[in-house]
Amino acid sequence: MASMEALGSKQQAVEFEIMSVPNGYNEEEILKQIDEIHVTAGEEFDAESLFILVENIVKHAAPIVGSFVPGAQALLFHMEDMAPSVCFNSPFCTLKQISCKMACKGPGVVNAHETTLAILGMLSSYSWDARAVMTLAAFALDYGEFWLLMQIGASDQLTKSMAILKGLPVLAGNSGLQKRQQALAELNNLIKVTLEVIKCIFELEKLPNYGRENVPALLKALNHIRLDTYWLIRTVIGCSAQMTGVTSDEDQEVDLSSLTYNLYHILNNLKMQLNVCKLQIEETETEAYQILMNLFQIRPKIMEVFKALCYGKSNVQQLIDGSNEVYFDVLKHKYVLLFISGPDISDNDVSTLKLLRKELGNRGKVVWVPIVVQSKTTINIERKFRSLGTEVPLYIVQQFLPIPGIKFIREEWHFTNKPIVVVINPEVRVEHNILLEQIRGINSFPCFRKRRIDLLVCELCSCVCQCCLCVHIPK
């Protein structure tokens, strides 16, 4: 009886150590420590491809777990295998370093917290989602390898030697996993929830960010990802500790119930935030669409069009003119050619724009409306737009986030991610829109062809009138 009480006390202590934070630390203090080791300019990394590999490992390990421990309720994913990007390179050395950080330290309260901060520090130049995925991938390396060796079997001499070398007595001798069914069931469930949380973070970061004033819930949710990432890494450390426990020959199982409860809370909160953000995004897009439809029925100011199209409820920024900023007044009483595209345009596109700008002369202005899908790499995107803007003398709308008017652009101007040009006349009416690749100079636009013909007719009439006057002048 005493031994059972001692075991229960031991498990409770481990649970407290894994889940809690050191005395004197609260959420604000943790965030302060996290921010101190964070590098703002994130390193480019394909976190989704790495996540696909992790998910594939866990999914294919599930039947092996079930074959050895039928009562473990192994994860059985009913989904097709996904393939990572062909350009993906595994950060294997970094993953091994993370694995060592988790495996070579005990699960004490200070160690768990300090190990989490150490891992965050190692990955300080990566995005928040990449840090969480890389930590989970480091765990998946050991998790997948263990179940692969279990599938081969301890009777195989190579497997047995590997097990001894890796300190896996459960694998080297009598497995003993039968008595740890509950621990494996809890571990697999926690891995599943961890994957779901990371998926929610991916989805959240892919949402179009129209700015604080337009989608206030999104900024709040994105700011909280820092703390979510911290607890994701703490959870993976708990999973690593549990894996060490169930593969050893000692009773060192960890009670993961608190971590599971905490992660379910994070998951439910993320799902709720996603729903609120999607609702606000839809409202912003619909409002911009309706405002633009109404504006083009009257005679609006050109700045009102740009505000509804690119800024919504946010403050309007000045146009970029090379290294300077100018007011929208420069567009008054001019033809305005909206060049709408993403940052990736071809050399042919640049040549077409240069020709168009040259032939347009003083009759109008070309304004580049940047189309950004998501705001994760805003700084790099802005640099690219500015750099391309120096090649062609045009103005750039100073908005390098997704724009609220994208629904209007897609539905009314038929934008399908290929560069287009939309002509707005001096009365602020849309006269024409055309794919950039179809433009062959200024005469590709009916409004300018008509104006040229009108000018020729006027010149001809003037000439004829003068000739008539010459003929009828009495001597």
Side-chain angles (χ1 to χ4, degrees):
M1 185 70 177
S3 61
M4 289 294 293
E5 290 178 355
L7 178 60
S9 175
K10 181 177 180 180
Q11 287 186 339
Q12 287 177 2
V14 173
E15 174 193 352
F16 173 79
E17 289 166 352
I18 289 291
M19 183 62 194
S20 65
V21 294
N23 291 332
Y25 284 72
N26 53 30
E27 187 172 294
E28 288 73 21
E29 184 64 29
I30 293 174
L31 284 172
K32 182 180 177 181
Q33 289 189 315
I34 291 172
D35 291 339
E36 286 176 354
I37 56 177
H38 176 62
V39 176
T40 303
E43 183 173 335
E44 293 291 334
F45 180 73
D46 186 0
E48 292 195 57
S49 286
L50 182 59
F51 181 79
I52 287 170
L53 292 172
V54 172
E55 201 169 39
N56 287 343
I57 288 171
V58 174
K59 184 183 76 170
H60 289 290
I64 306 172
V65 179
S67 66
F68 281 94
V69 189
Q73 301 175 359
L75 289 174
L76 295 173
F77 292 117
H78 300 288
M79 58 184 176
E80 296 180 2
D81 280 343
M82 300 290 289
S85 168
V86 293
C87 302
F88 177 74
N89 291 315
S90 172
F92 180 74
C93 292
T94 304
L95 299 184
K96 292 298 290 183
Q97 290 174 357
I98 298 171
S99 177
C100 288
K101 282 281 184 186
M102 292 189 294
C104 299
K105 289 189 176 183
V109 56
V110 176
N111 277 340
H113 174 69
E114 289 184 350
T115 302
T116 302
L117 292 180
I119 291 171
L120 285 169
M122 288 171 57
L123 306 174
S124 63
S125 61
Y126 292 89
S127 63
W128 295 108
D129 56 1
R131 298 187 210 189
V133 175
M134 291 177 79
T135 306
L136 184 60
F139 167 76
L141 276 177
D142 296 328
Y143 180 84
E145 185 180 49
F146 173 80
W147 291 112
L148 186 61
L149 291 173
M150 286 295 292
Q151 185 181 41
I152 296 171
S155 59
D156 179 81
Q157 190 57 46
L158 174 60
T159 305
K160 189 172 183 179
S161 299
M162 286 282 293
I164 295 171
L165 188 62
K166 292 181 69 65
L168 299 172
V170 166
L171 181 58
N174 183 12
S175 77
L177 289 179
Q178 294 292 334
K179 62 181 180 180
R180 295 178 173 124
Q181 292 183 16
Q182 184 61 34
L184 281 171
E186 291 178 355
L187 174 62
N188 287 344
N189 182 55
L190 191 52
I191 293 170
K192 180 181 178 181
V193 182
T194 302
L195 291 170
E196 289 179 6
V197 170
I198 293 175
K199 282 182 179 178
C200 278
I201 290 177
F202 279 153
E203 188 177 355
L204 195 64
E205 291 184 329
K206 287 179 180 178
L207 293 177
N209 184 358
Y210 297 139
R212 182 199 302 269
E213 293 80 5
N214 297 298
V215 190
L218 184 56
L219 181 64
K220 181 180 178 182
L222 292 174
N223 282 339
H224 204 269
I225 286 177
R226 298 173 297 159
L227 197 60
D228 294 340
T229 301
Y230 171 88
W231 282 113
L232 277 168
I233 294 175
R234 283 290 294 267
T235 299
V236 176
I237 291 171
C239 291
S240 179
Q242 181 74 303
M243 198 65 194
T244 300
V246 299
T247 56
S248 68
D249 55 359
E250 301 178 5
D251 292 327
Q252 295 181 350
E253 296 176 11
V254 179
D255 186 350
L256 298 176
S257 59
S258 293
L259 279 173
T260 304
Y261 176 83
N262 183 58
L263 214 58
Y264 267 118
H265 175 72
I266 291 173
L267 178 61
N268 291 332
N269 189 49
L270 282 169
K271 287 181 177 179
M272 181 185 68
Q273 289 174 326
L274 273 168
N275 289 333
V276 174
C277 290
K278 288 177 181 178
L279 181 62
Q280 291 182 358
I281 287 168
E282 184 179 358
E283 289 174 349
T284 298
E285 291 176 351
T286 302
E287 183 178 2
Y289 182 93
Q290 194 58 55
I291 290 173
L292 287 164
M293 289 292 288
N294 294 336
L295 282 175
F296 286 119
Q297 299 302 316
I298 60 176
R299 187 174 179 178
K301 296 178 180 178
I302 190 66
M303 190 182 75
E304 292 175 333
V305 172
F306 278 99
K307 178 172 174 54
L309 193 69
C310 303
Y311 298 101
K313 296 175 183 176
S314 301
N315 293 329
V316 178
Q317 303 296 313
Q318 294 180 1
L319 293 170
I320 298 172
D321 180 16
S323 58
N324 302 315
E325 295 182 357
V326 295
Y327 291 103
F328 282 87
D329 292 347
V330 297
L331 306 180
K332 283 184 177 181
H333 312 303
K334 297 278 188 180
Y335 275 91
V336 178
L337 275 61
L338 302 182
F339 171 51
I340 302 172
S341 83
D344 298 317
I345 63 172
S346 67
D347 291 339
N348 287 336
D349 293 337
V350 172
S351 298
T352 301
L353 282 171
K354 286 181 177 179
L355 175 63
L356 187 60
R357 184 67 189 86
K358 180 180 179 181
E359 293 185 356
L360 185 62
N362 294 324
R363 288 176 289 177
K365 305 289 184 181
V366 179
V367 182
W368 194 349
V369 178
I371 299 298
V372 179
V373 178
Q374 54 180 309
S375 56
K376 196 171 181 180
T377 54
T378 303
I379 296 175
N380 294 334
I381 287 175
E382 180 176 350
R383 287 173 182 165
K384 195 164 186 180
F385 274 113
R386 285 179 177 268
S387 174
L388 289 170
T390 59
E391 294 186 47
V392 184
L394 46 68
Y395 299 109
I396 305 176
V397 173
Q398 197 167 181
Q399 174 61 298
F400 303 103
L401 294 170
I403 59 175
I406 188 63
K407 179 181 178 181
F408 183 90
I409 291 173
R410 292 191 186 281
E411 294 186 11
E412 299 300 322
W413 294 340
H414 313 295
F415 176 71
T416 58
N417 299 327
K418 289 185 176 181
I420 64 170
V421 173
V422 177
V423 179
I424 297 179
N425 67 24
E427 287 73 39
V428 195
R429 297 281 191 276
V430 176
E431 290 208 4
H432 192 58
N433 66 284
I434 184 174
L435 286 171
L436 184 67
E437 63 186 25
Q438 296 176 342
I439 295 175
R440 300 293 181 269
I442 198 69
N443 289 330
S444 297
F445 300 94
C447 57
F448 290 110
R449 281 205 307 271
K450 182 177 182 299
R451 188 176 180 187
R452 185 179 179 186
I453 292 171
D454 290 344
L455 289 172
L456 289 173
V457 170
C458 287
E459 290 176 3
L460 182 61
C461 290
S462 175
C463 181
V464 169
C465 289
Q466 288 180 6
C467 289
C468 291
L469 287 172
C470 290
V471 170
H472 291 93
I473 291 176
K475 294 182 180 180

